Amino acid sequence: MSQLLTTDVLIVGGGIAGLWLNARLRQQGYNTLLIEQQSLGGAQTVKSQGIIHGGTKYALQGALTRSSEAIANMPERWLAALNGTGELDLQGVELLSNAHYLWSPGSITGNITSFFASKAMRGRVDQVKGAALPPALQHPQFKGRVYRLAELVLNVPSLIQRLAELAGDSLLQAKQLKPLYNNHAQLIGMQADNYLVQAQRVVLCAGEGTAELLNALQLQQPKQQLRPLHMVLVKGQALKPLYAHCLGGGSKPRITITTHPTTDGEWVWYLGGNLAEADGVARSADEQISHAQQELAELVPWLDQTQLSWQTLRVNRAEPAQSGLVRPDNAFLAEQDRLLVGWPTKLALAPDLSDRVLHHLTQHAIQPTATQTYPDLPRPVVAQPAWETLF
């Protein structure tokens, strides 16, 4: 026997996009339901490095780009939320680092790149030395240059947990999803297992799973592209905290390192950047680990690798399709009658996606209805990070 549920906005997808949107809509008085098929944040969000970008890495060629301008105010918005004074109250979310760094290992090309990056960012990059260096780089053998960025690094599982708390009773776990239509073949909601959920608007923000949902709706647009990554995880007591883009000679960071605590008290370095893209995707796990070991041996030669443990993780970043697989500049939202389809394109831009949804609701005079409660719904759990499951 199916149970009928009604809501203002039905959100499909419990990653950062859906969870942030859900919390923001509820804060604005809307009645919401969020459906997640697996675990909250489990598909892509919990596999991110947790960096709240301000666009600096997009200015490495000496000029501010559309990407850097679009994302420039995101660290400030997120910091306000973390302090409890922003659009959401994210007090309690763990801040791993209140800064991210640009790190030039000392090569001529790298130093020139970092110099131009600092000029392009007009004072948003400050060089640090000595005791102000990240702990992992405070070593006599370090000869490079380091620049402090006004960017944040979050503990993503704690972020997901806080957004789940803000969701109240609006979360529903359902394995089977089907479009729900009225007698005029108009989309009015979704069938989620034994629940029939009707809504004024349906928002798809399920990351990689959005393509399957669009197929079920028999929609050809918007199209999705996947940007594959082959990340590397390194665990061991020899590691010290480091949150930095290591610069090479090109427009992308040679390697991006974030550091994450584990429940057994050790640190994990999570390695992305150019290491995880292109050639890295083509490598086998063993080849990727070997390449990462060589990179770290060159960049941090004082690091004792003998007791470190290594794993790799393949991740697909889901985005709206762009010509030539280029990276989208900002959050994306497509509208079709009652259906909205969105991708934030990166963790930091989740607030931008919610702005776009709220603008749509205002434009179409979608008002909040009386608050409803949904007791005893099956609730999805928060996903575990890879460094807790792979080692």
Side-chain angles (χ1 to χ4, degrees):
M1 188 73 173
S2 296
Q3 182 177 346
L4 178 63
L5 303 174
T6 60
T7 190
D8 294 328
V9 181
L10 170 60
I11 301 167
V12 182
I16 184 60
L19 286 167
W20 186 288
L21 174 61
N22 188 49
R24 184 87 182 278
L25 291 177
R26 288 168 64 83
Q27 191 269 342
Q28 295 291 319
Y30 287 94
N31 196 48
T32 64
L33 266 176
L34 184 153
I35 300 174
E36 170 56 45
Q37 292 180 288
Q38 303 297 329
S39 57
L40 296 174
Q44 182 176 329
T45 300
V46 80
K47 299 171 185 173
S48 75
Q49 293 185 282
I51 305 167
I52 306 302
H53 290 291
T56 310
K57 75 172 186 176
Y58 303 128
L60 297 182
Q61 290 181 318
L64 289 173
T65 65
R66 290 175 57 202
S67 293
S68 59
E69 292 285 20
I71 203 172
N73 70 332
M74 286 301 154
E76 184 177 355
R77 286 182 67 172
W78 279 82
L79 186 59
L82 293 170
N83 291 333
T85 60
E87 58 218 66
L88 297 179
D89 182 358
L90 298 185
Q91 293 181 96
V93 173
E94 183 181 2
L95 185 63
L96 294 176
S97 178
N98 62 4
H100 206 248
Y101 294 85
L102 285 176
W103 157 33
S104 170
S107 67
I108 295 176
T109 302
N111 285 332
I112 291 174
T113 303
S114 26
F115 171 80
F116 281 110
S118 65
K119 293 296 184 182
M121 299 313 290
R122 302 189 183 105
R124 288 162 55 195
V125 180
D126 299 313
Q127 187 171 3
V128 296
K129 300 178 180 180
L133 289 171
L137 301 182
Q138 292 182 20
H139 192 277
Q141 287 183 249
F142 179 70
K143 304 299 182 183
R145 301 181 186 181
V146 177
Y147 299 82
R148 186 182 190 276
L149 311 180
E151 300 182 346
L152 314 172
V153 187
L154 305 183
N155 183 322
V156 174
S158 74
L159 169 63
I160 300 169
Q161 183 63 54
R162 176 56 183 158
L163 291 172
E165 293 170 0
L166 294 177
D169 63 0
S170 68
L171 302 178
L172 169 63
Q173 184 174 40
K175 297 295 186 182
Q176 301 295 323
L177 298 180
K178 297 179 182 179
L180 189 62
Y181 300 98
N182 62 16
N183 293 334
H184 303 287
Q186 296 172 318
L187 181 71
I188 58 171
M190 300 289 289
Q191 179 176 350
D193 290 346
N194 293 325
Y195 296 93
L196 303 178
V197 186
Q198 295 185 4
Q200 298 188 69
R201 288 295 184 271
V202 177
V203 185
L204 304 185
C205 47
E208 187 174 355
T210 296
E212 182 178 347
L213 292 167
L214 289 172
N215 185 58
L217 289 160
Q218 298 183 331
L219 294 176
Q220 302 299 315
Q221 296 292 336
K223 290 187 180 298
Q224 176 177 282
Q225 71 184 28
L226 297 179
R227 189 184 303 279
L229 301 173
H230 195 182
M231 309 289 287
V232 178
L233 298 92
V234 193
K235 181 180 180 182
Q237 294 182 352
L239 301 177
K240 295 181 179 180
L242 180 59
Y243 304 90
H245 301 299
C246 180
L247 303 177
S251 61
K252 296 181 179 180
R254 176 175 174 178
I255 190 171
T256 295
I257 302 175
T258 53
T259 312
H260 306 266
T262 63
T263 54
D264 61 7
E266 293 190 353
W267 291 109
V268 164
W269 278 5
Y270 195 26
L271 312 181
N274 201 48
L275 168 78
E277 300 185 29
D279 293 342
V281 174
R283 298 186 190 106
S284 68
D286 288 343
E287 291 170 340
Q288 181 71 334
I289 288 172
S290 177
H291 184 75
Q293 290 171 336
Q294 293 172 20
E295 285 285 88
L296 292 184
E298 181 177 337
L299 297 172
V300 282
W302 56 88
L303 176 65
D304 182 3
Q305 296 191 23
T306 57
Q307 299 300 316
L308 298 179
S309 300
W310 301 80
Q311 294 285 348
T312 68
L313 179 67
R314 292 189 181 272
V315 183
N316 283 327
R317 288 186 176 179
E319 304 165 342
Q322 307 282 297
S323 176
L325 201 66
V326 298
R327 180 186 290 107
D329 288 322
N330 43 38
F332 172 92
L333 186 70
E335 308 173 10
Q336 184 171 321
D337 299 324
R338 293 192 182 193
L339 179 68
L340 305 178
V341 183
W343 291 273
T345 72
K346 54 183 62 66
L347 180 79
L349 285 168
D352 185 33
L353 179 64
S354 69
D355 289 348
R356 294 167 189 270
V357 173
L358 282 167
H359 178 71
H360 168 90
L361 297 178
T362 300
Q363 271 194 325
H364 294 269
I366 305 298
Q367 299 295 322
T369 60
T371 302
Q372 300 184 37
T373 58
Y374 309 101
D376 303 323
L377 295 178
R379 186 181 178 92
V381 300
V382 173
Q384 288 292 304
W387 41 89
E388 298 293 354
T389 60
L390 291 178
F391 291 102

